Amino acid sequence: MLTALTIRNIVLIEALELSFGQGLGVLTGETGAGKSILLDALGLILGNRADSGLVRAGEDQASVTATFDFIFMPDLIRKALADAEIELETGEPLIIRRRVKADGGSKAFINDQPVGVALLRDIAPALVELHGQHDDRGLVNPRGHRALLDRYAGIDLASVERAWANWRAAESRLATAREAIEQARAEEDLLGAHLAELETLDAQPGEEEQLALARADMQKGEKLAVDLEDLRHLWDGSDSALAILRGAARRLDRIASEHELLAEALAALDRAVIEAGEAEEKLEAAADALQFDPAELDRIETRLFEMRALARKHGCQPDDLPARLAEMREALASIEGGEAELTKLEQAASEAGERYRKLAEKLHEQRVKAAIRLDKAVAAELAPLKLDAARFQTAVTLLPEERWGMQGMDAAEFLIATNPGADFAPLAKIASGGELSRFILALKVALAEQGGAATVIFDEIDRGVGGAVASAIGERLARLADSGQLLAVTHSPQVAARGRTHYMIAKSSEGTVTRTGVALLDAAGRQEEIARMLSGAEITAEARAQADRLLEGV
């Protein structure tokens, strides 16, 4: 709830600090005293547009700070703060500050952390619910009527939400399967042709690299063929260098024993023969490896180029062709077995849809019955509020299937008719602001809830009424405030007498300077202010006595 409000340099308010508590708080004062300024200041906290005209004349900037305390912070606020990475300790108050410059610029802060004004607007519905002469939010907005009706009826939507989610998931799986099969069918002939190509080629993993290496070796062999053939004469035949070297070694072997130098020469020659033999083996092995076969090279190149071309055609690497072949076989198999699987998915989606429909139809019946009860409850509140000629109706209508959702298959809206024979119309169509506020009061009393906001404000709900009607309004406001916080800006002494706390708004002038101030009244001050509201400018003893009777009566 709102526990404190500090205002600096807003229009006629120079400096103001107010504290608020639970229950009904009333704000009174003469016309033009500045009650609307307080609401405008609070509007800045709720994310309303920053108008430079709100800055007090002669000042550079104005500011408003509001403090809210919660026993349990509303989920809407908790989630919004978490998304904005603003952390609050358990039990820590929520402090919102808005600063407006005379040039029109503004800044917003939550617990001293700068935030966008959009965040203030996001959390406003959980902070303050304002009902006034130009109310366009809260209970007037039909977007929230279905949720209010469900809360009134005690409806738990969990089973419907689960059924909806299951149905949507089943329909999604079915749509995906249908799309896949339709696409496969459309491409079946092309798929078959591609599959035949891949099966004919029958590429193997790693084959492309092997073919490329073999091709490269053959191309080298073609280039080195002449050189290798020339080198072959060095060891082939009886007149080759190697044959001559071996013959020399044999002849030297016969005389090596005659002198040690001959023996050393033989050893060196033997090593040369061995090395030459190894060279001969290497050259023969190289010749075999680099053997050039034009027919084989043509075969290798043809297969290699076919493999690479097919890989480009399918947008993959040659080594991925076996996997692509497997995918295409699977795709063709899925076409053949797709009908059976599609039938299963259709059956599952149909059953999920039927489960949702049954639960949604039951929910519709609950809402219709609750609407009848709510209509009767609101009707009982209209006559005491001088709305006895008016009628209230909760319209529950079935939606077309494309608009069904997690909350069921129907919409709910609160409608009214203010005159006998008039057609029912949305709440927002009421011409009279006073009637609208009283309708909302009747609805809130019937709903017996606070609408989700921490603080509820009624701005001049008693405009144009008095006597018993004003007394009825005051009694209902006090009843609503029993379990929360409600503030009422009022001109009615009957409403003011119901307040647990009473604030008087007054305007004063010193020369050319005009200021608006707010004072928390004690018992004597309350008597005097209510007497003023009863008698006007001149407060009489009779007015004071009547004020006492009003205060004693509550």
Side-chain angles (χ1 to χ4, degrees):
M1 69 175 180
L2 177 66
T3 56
L5 183 66
T6 301
I7 302 174
R8 296 285 186 270
N9 298 322
I10 295 289
V11 193
L12 299 178
I13 299 176
E14 188 173 30
L16 182 64
E17 294 185 6
L18 293 174
S19 297
F20 300 94
Q22 283 192 314
L24 176 60
V26 296
L27 295 90
T28 65
E30 295 181 355
T31 301
K35 295 185 291 295
S36 63
I37 300 175
L38 284 175
L39 298 180
D40 289 340
L42 190 57
L44 292 174
I45 294 297
L46 303 179
N48 290 355
R49 188 176 68 87
D51 187 347
S52 60
L54 291 174
V55 180
R56 182 176 171 82
E59 300 293 338
D60 294 331
Q61 64 179 25
S63 67
V64 184
T65 303
T67 301
F68 295 87
D69 278 300
F70 303 95
I71 298 176
F72 301 105
M73 182 170 288
D75 290 339
L76 185 151
I77 298 177
R78 183 183 298 105
K79 184 179 184 303
L81 294 183
D83 291 343
E85 298 183 350
I86 297 176
E87 297 182 1
L88 293 184
E89 298 293 335
T90 303
E92 183 180 0
L94 178 69
I95 303 174
I96 302 176
R97 179 163 55 95
R98 184 88 179 272
R99 190 170 64 206
V100 182
K101 293 185 178 181
D103 62 7
S106 78
K107 291 185 178 180
F109 304 84
I110 292 182
N111 288 50
D112 289 329
Q113 297 187 51
V115 298
V117 175
L119 178 58
L120 302 188
R121 287 194 289 268
D122 289 342
I123 65 176
L127 293 175
V128 176
E129 181 182 335
L130 175 62
H131 301 292
Q133 298 299 303
H134 304 288
D135 190 356
D136 60 354
R137 296 186 296 181
L139 296 183
V140 173
N141 191 337
R143 292 179 62 182
H145 291 177
R146 184 173 59 190
L148 288 169
L149 179 62
D150 289 349
R151 197 178 309 167
Y152 175 77
I155 291 172
D156 183 2
L157 293 172
S159 59
V160 176
E161 292 173 348
R162 284 194 300 271
W164 169 260
N166 292 338
W167 185 25
R168 290 299 89 201
E171 288 287 353
S172 177
R173 288 191 293 270
L174 176 60
T176 300
R178 280 175 174 163
E179 183 180 356
I181 289 177
E182 288 174 4
Q183 183 177 356
R185 283 173 181 161
E187 300 175 355
E188 187 172 3
D189 291 341
L190 182 60
L191 188 63
H194 287 168
L195 183 61
E197 286 180 335
L198 290 171
E199 288 178 334
T200 300
L201 185 65
D202 192 24
Q204 301 298 316
E207 183 182 359
E208 191 254 358
E209 183 179 5
Q210 294 173 0
L211 290 173
L213 290 174
R215 176 174 177 260
D217 286 344
M218 278 199 173
Q219 288 174 333
K220 290 177 184 177
E222 183 179 13
K223 292 179 181 179
L224 299 175
V226 174
D227 293 331
L228 290 174
E229 187 60 32
D230 290 343
L231 286 171
R232 187 181 297 276
H233 293 300
L234 295 177
W235 67 78
D236 274 355
S238 59
D239 59 345
S240 67
L242 183 55
I244 293 172
L245 191 62
R246 286 171 176 165
R250 287 194 297 271
R251 293 184 65 182
L252 186 57
D253 182 55
R254 292 196 293 270
I255 62 175
S257 61
E258 299 297 328
H259 195 278
E260 66 178 26
L261 288 177
L262 293 175
E264 292 176 2
L266 177 61
L269 193 57
D270 285 341
R271 289 197 298 271
V273 170
I274 292 171
E275 293 290 337
E278 290 181 358
E280 178 186 16
E281 292 175 359
K282 298 292 184 184
L283 286 170
E284 288 179 348
D288 290 340
L290 297 173
Q291 185 178 10
F292 172 64
D293 182 348
E296 179 63 12
L297 178 60
D298 183 64
R299 184 195 71 78
I300 290 174
E301 286 186 334
T302 299
R303 181 163 179 79
L304 183 62
F305 294 158
E306 286 179 352
M307 190 178 297
R308 289 175 174 174
L310 204 54
R312 287 194 299 272
K313 184 176 182 179
H314 291 284
C316 65
Q317 296 299 318
D319 279 350
D320 296 330
L321 289 174
R324 189 57 55 90
L325 173 62
E327 290 174 4
M328 290 186 178
R329 284 172 174 164
E330 185 178 348
L332 282 175
S334 69
I335 296 175
E336 298 171 0
E339 290 295 339
E341 181 63 23
L342 198 63
T343 300
K344 292 180 182 178
L345 291 173
E346 287 173 346
Q347 180 66 23
S350 175
E351 291 174 356
E354 186 60 25
R355 284 193 295 272
Y356 169 80
R357 286 185 182 87
K358 288 181 178 179
L359 290 171
E361 287 170 357
K362 182 179 178 181
L363 175 60
H364 176 74
E365 294 173 1
Q366 290 177 292
R367 284 172 172 159
V368 170
K369 293 178 181 178
I372 294 172
R373 296 198 308 273
L374 180 59
D375 292 349
K376 291 180 179 178
V378 174
E381 298 292 334
L382 296 180
L385 297 175
K386 202 179 178 180
L387 294 169
D388 44 317
R391 292 168 295 148
F392 176 86
Q393 182 184 78
T394 305
V396 179
T397 55
L398 287 170
L399 295 169
E401 185 170 339
E402 63 269 17
R403 293 181 59 192
W404 293 358
M406 297 183 73
Q407 285 75 42
M409 56 174 57
D410 39 47
E413 184 175 4
F414 301 143
L415 305 175
I416 56 171
T418 55
N419 299 304
D423 292 334
F424 283 97
L427 288 175
K429 299 295 184 181
I430 294 181
S432 166
E435 282 184 336
L436 175 58
S437 295
R438 279 179 278 144
F439 255 112
I440 290 172
L441 177 59
L443 182 56
K444 288 190 72 67
V445 171
L447 290 170
E449 57 89 47
Q450 294 296 315
T455 300
V456 179
I457 300 176
F458 278 92
D459 181 19
E460 298 187 0
I461 188 175
D462 49 16
R463 179 186 291 268
V465 299
V469 176
S471 180
I473 291 174
E475 186 272 330
R476 283 157 176 77
L477 291 174
R479 195 194 316 167
L480 281 176
D482 278 345
S483 58
Q485 183 186 56
L486 191 149
L487 300 175
V489 177
T490 180
H491 289 289
S492 168
Q494 291 90 344
V495 174
R498 291 279 182 175
R500 181 180 297 180
T501 52
H502 190 152
Y503 304 87
M504 186 181 72
I505 306 170
K507 184 165 60 174
S508 62
S509 298
E510 295 179 11
T512 59
V513 179
T514 302
R515 295 182 178 87
T516 289
V518 181
L520 176 61
L521 301 180
D522 57 14
R526 291 193 68 191
Q527 182 214 42
E528 196 71 4
E529 172 63 3
I530 292 174
R532 181 199 64 76
M533 297 171 73
L534 286 165
S535 63
E538 183 179 350
I539 302 175
T540 64
E542 181 180 352
R544 290 189 178 94
Q546 189 174 353
D548 286 339
R549 287 194 293 273
L550 284 176
L551 290 168
E552 291 172 359
V554 298

